[in-house]
Amino acid sequence: MKRETNFEVLRTAAMFFIVVYHCLTHGVGDGYGFNTESPIMLSNALFSDFLLVFSSIAVNLYVMISGYFLVDLNFKASRIVRTWSYACFYSFIITVLFMALAIVPFNAISVGKSLFPISSDAYWFVTQYIGLLILSPFLAVLARQLTYRQYLALLIGGAILCLSIIPDFPLGKRFYVAHGNSVWSFAYLFMIAGFIKHHLKKVPMGRLSMIVVSLIVLILVCEVIGGYNNGSISLYWLNYNGVVLILSVAVFVLVRQLQIPEKGFWNLFVKAAPYTFGVYLIHDHLLVRDWLWNTVSLSFYGDKWLFPLIVIGVCLVIFVVCAAVDAVRKKLFTIIGLDKFIARVDKWTF
């Protein structure tokens, strides 16, 4: 698969903001209130909500990048096996390591369950993403065969089924699309990405930038209003499949049209891109998540002027450490020949 600098940069940025999202959801949490009477806490609340705008679209962007490329590729079962093997590796290793270090007590059932991270839904994203990979060859055939008008009609119909501008309305619960984190929402994102690739012409950058800025402001205002209560602001999350999805599409189109050189500062993003999935598997493992955010309690710094620097710093450290660990994992898989073995799966399937 040919790599494109724009999307490699976007992939890395999206995963960083997924880390930020988890930092805000687990490290700060929606139960913590920023006192609006304190200038420092008010600015920290607005800063957190501003970060939340970009971190809320990160999962959608990550899925759309996959759809953008998979829509023109032949099916390979190795993609499913590789995704499963990475999740299984980290699920098992982290569980055993935490028990060996006595961070959690030994439990044979937990060790056994760690070998089945998909069926146990240890990583919700991986479970839904593998579902998308299974559906992808059929979605790709559909995307390639539809005319422009048919494709547009499909996206409109999909919007009726998948979008929830406010929680679970109009049809969010009825078709089990949850809050945008179901396989059906992922399939819809896949089809949107395919439409952008096959049918969407270049959008004027000025108009596109205005749309992006307007949506950012709208979501930010909704977050502040939704989180405000009796003189304090708590973090408030919107559905992935509401206005957040619309912003995701606008940002995706914007990045697609940018000219990003694969050199200098941007080259760091490109080099980090292959390890982004590992970043997710490590830092959001259930045991790591509980230990990490109990150890790094960011709500303690909510009334400190250093809060923004601490949040960004913690997220950068988490991202870099996890990426480095995944680089070691990649070398290990190469040494033992596991990647080559997984690639052979394609010869055994049709």
Side-chain angles (χ1 to χ4, degrees):
M1 184 189 303
K2 182 179 180 296
R3 300 289 183 178
E4 295 186 22
T5 303
N6 289 27
F7 292 114
E8 294 301 275
V9 170
L10 184 61
R11 188 193 307 274
T12 301
M15 184 52 66
F16 174 75
F17 277 107
I18 287 174
V19 175
V20 172
Y21 186 85
H22 294 149
C23 175
L24 296 174
T25 54
H26 306 303
V28 178
D30 56 3
Y32 180 80
F34 294 88
N35 189 345
T36 57
E37 294 182 1
S38 167
I40 294 177
M41 295 190 77
L42 177 59
S43 65
N44 287 342
L46 296 177
F47 168 78
S48 299
D49 277 328
F50 184 71
L51 283 185
L52 197 56
V53 173
F54 293 98
S55 58
S56 294
I57 68 174
V59 169
N60 288 344
L61 291 173
Y62 207 85
V63 175
M64 289 178 69
I65 293 169
S66 296
Y68 188 83
F69 290 100
L70 289 176
V71 74
D72 287 330
L73 296 178
N74 292 325
F75 174 73
K76 287 187 177 181
S78 59
R79 295 191 187 101
I80 298 173
V81 176
R82 185 173 291 108
T83 302
W84 173 85
S85 66
Y86 292 175
C88 187
F89 173 81
Y90 280 118
S91 177
F92 178 74
I93 292 296
I94 291 173
T95 299
V96 171
L97 181 61
F98 269 60
M99 291 179 181
L101 296 175
I103 299 175
V104 296
F106 176 79
N107 187 311
I109 295 178
S110 296
V111 174
K113 287 180 66 176
S114 71
L115 293 170
F116 302 93
I118 309 305
S119 57
S120 64
D121 208 20
Y123 300 101
W124 76 263
F125 176 84
V126 179
T127 301
Q128 305 306 318
Y129 187 72
I130 283 185
L132 177 65
L133 291 178
I134 294 172
L135 293 174
S136 64
F138 310 104
L139 295 173
V141 170
L142 180 62
R144 292 194 294 265
Q145 295 298 321
L146 291 173
T147 65
Y148 174 84
R149 290 172 65 87
Q150 291 171 335
Y151 210 142
L152 194 59
L154 174 66
L155 293 184
I156 293 172
I160 295 172
L161 299 179
C162 292
L163 294 188
S164 294
I165 301 303
I166 60 176
D168 300 320
F169 180 85
L171 297 173
K173 280 185 176 179
R174 280 71 186 170
F175 294 101
Y176 301 99
V177 295
H179 302 287
N181 52 3
S182 71
V183 68
W184 309 118
S185 294
F186 281 17
Y188 185 58
L189 289 167
F190 182 105
M191 297 304 292
I192 291 174
F195 181 84
I196 291 171
K197 188 170 189 179
H198 288 169
H199 297 289
L200 187 67
K201 297 179 180 179
K202 189 172 182 179
V203 181
M205 290 297 287
R207 183 186 306 170
L208 190 56
S209 299
M210 286 184 62
I211 292 173
V212 170
V213 172
S214 298
L215 289 170
I216 289 173
V217 172
L218 174 61
I219 294 173
L220 182 60
V221 170
C222 290
E223 288 175 354
V224 173
I225 294 175
Y228 181 80
N229 183 34
N230 294 326
S232 69
I233 297 177
S234 299
L235 297 182
Y236 181 81
W237 291 271
L238 300 178
N239 283 4
Y240 291 159
N241 59 338
V243 181
V244 168
L245 185 142
I246 300 172
L247 176 60
S248 305
V249 174
V251 170
F252 187 88
V253 174
L254 179 66
V255 173
R256 179 197 183 207
Q257 296 182 178
L258 293 177
Q259 298 295 323
I260 301 178
E262 189 177 342
K263 58 182 180 180
F265 173 74
W266 299 115
N267 195 40
L268 295 175
F269 286 77
V270 175
K271 288 184 176 180
Y275 310 112
T276 53
F277 190 53
V279 171
Y280 167 73
L281 293 174
I282 298 169
H283 91 276
D284 204 42
H285 185 281
L286 294 175
L287 294 179
V288 175
R289 179 199 300 173
D290 291 341
W291 171 80
L292 177 61
W293 302 118
N294 284 327
T295 302
V296 184
S297 180
L298 293 174
S299 58
F300 176 79
Y301 302 98
D303 60 347
K304 307 291 192 299
W305 68 271
L306 282 174
F307 177 79
L309 294 177
I310 292 172
V311 169
I312 297 299
V314 166
C315 293
L316 278 173
V317 169
I318 292 172
F319 187 95
V320 171
V321 170
C322 291
V325 171
D326 195 57
V328 174
R329 189 274 314 155
K330 182 176 175 61
K331 287 187 177 180
L332 175 63
F333 275 31
T334 301
I335 291 172
I336 65 178
L338 188 56
D339 281 332
K340 287 185 177 180
F341 176 78
I342 292 174
R344 292 176 187 170
V345 172
D346 295 324
K347 297 180 180 179
W348 308 332
T349 57
F350 63 91

